[in-house]
Structure formats: C-alpha cells, structure tokens
Amino acid sequence: GEDVEQSLFLSVREGDSSVINCTYTDSSSTYLYWYKQEPGAGLQLLTYIFSNMDMKQDQRLTVLLNKKDKHLSLRIADTQTGDSAIYFCADPGGTGGGNKLTFGTGTQLKVEL
Amino acid sequence: GAVVSQHPSRVICKSGTSVKIECRSLDFQATTMFWYRQFPKQSLMLMATSNEGSKATYEQGVEKDKFLINHASLTLSTLTVTSAHPEDSSFYICSAQRAQETQYFGPGTRLLVL
C-alpha cells in the first residue's frame, strides 16, 4: 500500500525558516495536503498543492513538489512560537480530493526563542 | 465554512461500558464521514469510512462489532465503542467530506478507559 514518510522532529529558532519534508510512494495523486495539529486538537488544513504544480506560495507557507522524486516539502518563513505543532503531509492517492487519506508519520516542529 | 464538531471532547469511562462519540458537520452536508484513531505521538489511522444511509466500510484489522458506526444523516455520524477496555483508550478524530472535496476534521475526542 501507500507509504508516506516524514522526519519526526524539527527544532528551529523563532524568526528562522522551517522546512518539513515528506516522501510518498503513490504517483497517481492529484493533490497533496499539509495539515497542522496542535496539542490535543484535531487537524487543521494548512494548504494543498495540485500534482501538476511545482510550487505554491500562501503567505508564509511555500509548498514545493518534486513529482519525479515523489518529494513534498513545506517551508514556513519567519517561524513563530505559534507554529509549534505536529505537521502531517497527506496523500489521497488516485482519488483526488476524496477518500482514504494516507498520512505521513508527522513532524513535530518546536520553535525556540 | 466547513466546520466539524465532535462531542464529547473528553470522556472517562469504566471498563466494560460503551461510549458514543458524535461527529457533526455544522455548515455543510457530508456525504462521507471518516473515523480515525490516533495513539500518542503517532499518525492517524483510518478506522472506517461511512456514507450516509449505508453500512460503514471498515479498514483491515478494525473490529466492526467493537466500533459501531452509524451515519444516519448528512450531518451526523456516531462511533460507539462497545464494551470498552483500557486498550481502547485513544484519541478519536472524525472528518467529513462533501462529494469528492477535501476532508475537514473535527477537534477529536480523548477517550480514557479505566
């Protein structure tokens, strides 16, 4: 089945940029998603990228997609303490925006003063 | 828009009792709802997919008699953990989806079985 991998932990200083990486195995994905989970809370959709795009920028967030290498990244510019959370990439596979999201292992981002 | 609620947010129960968790889409009609389970410091594991008016589709290894799912309307799905045991303690998260659009997630329910 689909496999989505992330590094488990990232620590950055406030004001620096954070880059969270994700690799996936299903090449039929139409979209790929990034979600944020704060402690004890559900998932918040941060952004998504169509598979025919290489890059998408949304304010402090930049998503890069390398389809050849099946590599997705999320860059957070000017990282703030409020960005501390767990970040999940998610792949819906060939169903586009629809069913059966496969989540990455999650990357815990810690922002230090 | 696209708000999903869960109730309760936290529940503590005795071993052997049953617990019902509700998932509601507040401002849209959800054709499909999903139930996930998350262990501490782990990713989300899909338990089942439910479509309004039909039986839920359970993932491999998930006991359908243990985790009863009802999706009676386009805005409400319930998960009942029957005869709960301490190993059922977990964080349960639902999501709701309209047609083939993005899934929107609820805030989760923390279940502790003593």
Side-chain angles (χ1 to χ4, degrees):
Chain A
E2 164 84 272
D3 194 23
V4 182
E5 298 284 342
Q6 296 176 239
S7 52
L8 291 180
F9 191 77
L10 176 65
S11 178
V12 300
R13 287 195 173 177
E14 189 178 40
D16 288 350
S17 291
S18 308
V19 179
I20 301 170
N21 295 301
C22 172
T23 58
Y24 59 96
T25 57
D26 188 340
S27 61
S28 63
S29 307
T30 306
Y31 303 75
L32 290 159
Y33 298 94
W34 282 104
Y35 286 89
K36 176 183 180 182
Q37 185 181 33
E38 296 184 5
L43 272 67
Q44 172 195 354
L45 178 64
L46 276 182
T47 187
Y48 63 92
I49 188 168
F50 288 95
S51 61
N52 61 0
M53 298 169 67
D54 298 323
M55 185 189 85
K56 177 181 178 181
Q57 186 159 3
D58 184 1
Q59 299 183 333
R60 291 191 299 122
L61 305 178
T62 303
V63 180
L64 295 177
L65 175 61
N66 182 328
K67 281 199 77 173
K68 175 175 169 290
D69 294 339
K70 298 179 186 172
H71 181 268
L72 181 72
S73 69
L74 174 69
R75 178 177 180 269
I76 306 173
D78 188 24
T79 312
Q80 302 298 306
T81 54
D83 296 324
S84 292
I86 300 176
Y87 291 81
F88 293 95
C89 61
D91 183 353
T95 57
N99 303 333
K100 288 205 175 187
L101 285 174
T102 300
F103 285 89
T105 44
T107 299
Q108 181 164 1
L109 174 63
K110 181 179 177 183
V111 182
E112 297 174 329
L113 296 172
Chain B
V3 179
V4 177
S5 70
Q6 281 184 242
H7 177 81
S9 56
R10 299 174 66 93
V11 57
I12 301 173
C13 69
K14 291 183 178 179
S15 189
T17 60
S18 294
V19 174
K20 181 186 282 189
I21 302 170
E22 291 186 350
C23 177
R24 292 181 186 273
S25 56
L26 298 184
D27 51 2
F28 68 100
Q29 293 187 322
T31 50
T32 307
M33 286 186 170
F34 302 84
W35 287 95
Y36 296 84
R37 183 174 181 177
Q38 186 180 31
F39 291 102
K41 298 191 185 301
Q42 292 191 27
S43 190
L44 279 74
M45 181 192 79
L46 179 65
M47 298 174 68
T49 303
S50 76
N51 293 293
E52 184 262 340
S54 61
K55 288 184 179 179
T57 302
Y58 289 80
E59 294 299 300
Q60 194 172 7
V62 178
E63 298 176 60
K64 60 179 70 174
D65 295 330
K66 173 76 171 173
F67 299 100
L68 300 178
I69 291 171
N70 183 277
H71 191 164
S73 77
L74 284 171
T75 59
L76 173 64
S77 176
T78 60
L79 167 68
T80 301
V81 183
T82 61
S83 186
H85 288 95
E87 58 266 28
D88 299 323
S89 299
S90 193
F91 193 53
Y92 293 88
I93 305 176
C94 73
S95 71
Q97 179 189 56
R98 177 174 49 202
Q100 289 292 306
E101 296 178 5
T102 303
Q103 291 183 36
Y104 294 95
F105 286 80
T109 297
R110 176 80 57 194
L111 170 63
L112 177 62
V113 185
L114 301 177

